[in-house]
Amino acid sequence: MAALAYPVTLALRFTQEGAEEAGRSSGFVFFGVGLVVALAAIRTVSFARRWRRSARPALAAAALVLVVGGTIVGVPRWSRIPGPYIPGADSRSIEAQGIRAAEWAKTELGADRRIVADRVNRLLMGLYGRQRPVTNYFDQVRTFNLFYRPVFGEEERSILERGDIEFLVIDRRLVGIQPLAGPYYENGERREIAQAGGLTLQDLTKFERVPGVDVIFDSGDITIYDVRAVTTGVRP
């Protein structure tokens, strides 16, 4: 029954939202698929012993379809590694600069600081930096709205306060690019902004002009802002 579910998951790949669900489901349905393939392999080996010459090309073609087809269907071209850094591209966006920023945060800020970062740096800050990302998914605070206006206003201040946010992680490499993985920050943000590559440098750096906000880390591409003075009203 699990094996029969596999063709259904393939149909989901024709939609953008369904492709991710199909990829995640493979870890479950392949338990059933593996058993069915094992039975088929036993019969194939038995068949090949009787028809060796004619069976070999067919077996080779089947193996080629399984190996190459799995890669083509399961992994987008831009996501395949190894390869150079690509901003907003999940696994291809994992690189040394982001890891070093996360490790710096762990050493200098301590663990479990409430931070907001883009999709990739959020993962790095959580894994390498042991930080506590604030998200709409978990905290019901639309933190991504901090980054879509060129000026800092009451809406941004309210988000910082409601999320009890201490630090913001800004990656300038996201400016003007269309993130291949979908959103800049997380699902729920205005999709047309990401599709148009509408994130601007002024949107990201407006915090430098807010009284009490300090730049505590700057690698050239990645900047970490201390916004605790805005969140609590008290300068650390």
Side-chain angles (χ1 to χ4, degrees), residues 114-118 122 132-144 163 165 185-187:
R114 296 176 69 85
I115 63 104
V116 173
D118 61 87
R122 180 170 68 242
R132 200 298 202 177
V134 180
T135 65
N136 183 48
Y137 178 79
F138 189 80
D139 301 280
Q140 288 76 56
V141 180
R142 293 177 174 265
T143 54
F144 46 79
I165 298 164
Y185 291 90
E186 59 179 313
N187 292 331

Side-chain angles (χ1 to χ4, degrees), residues 34 74 81 105 116 139 155 160 228:
I81 52 177
V116 173
D139 301 280
E155 179 182 0
L160 294 178
R228 287 177 290 178

Side-chain angles (χ1 to χ4, degrees), residues 5-15 18-19 22-23 25 29-30 69 73-74:
Y6 178 61
V8 178
T9 65
L10 294 179
L12 296 175
R13 295 185 181 276
F14 287 99
T15 65
S25 67
V29 300
F30 273 25
V73 173

Side-chain angles (χ1 to χ4, degrees), residues 67-175:
V67 175
V68 178
T71 302
I72 293 173
V73 173
V75 183
R77 180 182 296 274
W78 52 263
S79 184
R80 297 172 194 169
I81 52 177
Y85 168 81
I86 302 175
D90 280 358
S91 57
R92 289 286 290 274
S93 301
I94 306 298
E95 45 76 55
Q97 187 175 182
I99 294 174
R100 284 198 297 268
E103 292 174 339
W104 179 92
K106 178 183 178 182
T107 302
E108 300 298 330
L109 304 179
D112 295 320
R113 296 292 194 175
R114 296 176 69 85
I115 63 104
V116 173
D118 61 87
R119 181 186 178 103
V120 172
N121 283 297
R122 180 170 68 242
L123 296 175
L124 295 178
M125 285 289 167
L127 177 61
Y128 291 94
R130 295 293 186 265
Q131 303 305 310
R132 200 298 202 177
V134 180
T135 65
N136 183 48
Y137 178 79
F138 189 80
D139 301 280
Q140 288 76 56
V141 180
R142 293 177 174 265
T143 54
F144 46 79
N145 284 334
L146 286 167
F147 309 103
Y148 295 135
R149 294 203 309 170
V151 295
F152 184 89
E154 288 304 317
E155 179 182 0
E156 288 76 15
R157 185 181 301 276
S158 175
I159 292 172
L160 294 178
E161 292 174 350
R162 285 187 288 112
D164 195 21
I165 298 164
E166 299 178 275
F167 302 96
L168 302 178
V169 181
I170 303 300
D171 195 334
R172 294 182 179 88
R173 293 171 294 185
L174 295 176
V175 171

Side-chain angles (χ1 to χ4, degrees), residues 15 54 56 58 73-74 83 87 118-119 133 139 197 214 217 225 230:
T15 65
S54 58
R56 285 176 181 175
V73 173
D118 61 87
R119 181 186 178 103
D139 301 280
D214 294 322
F217 176 90
Y225 294 100
V230 177

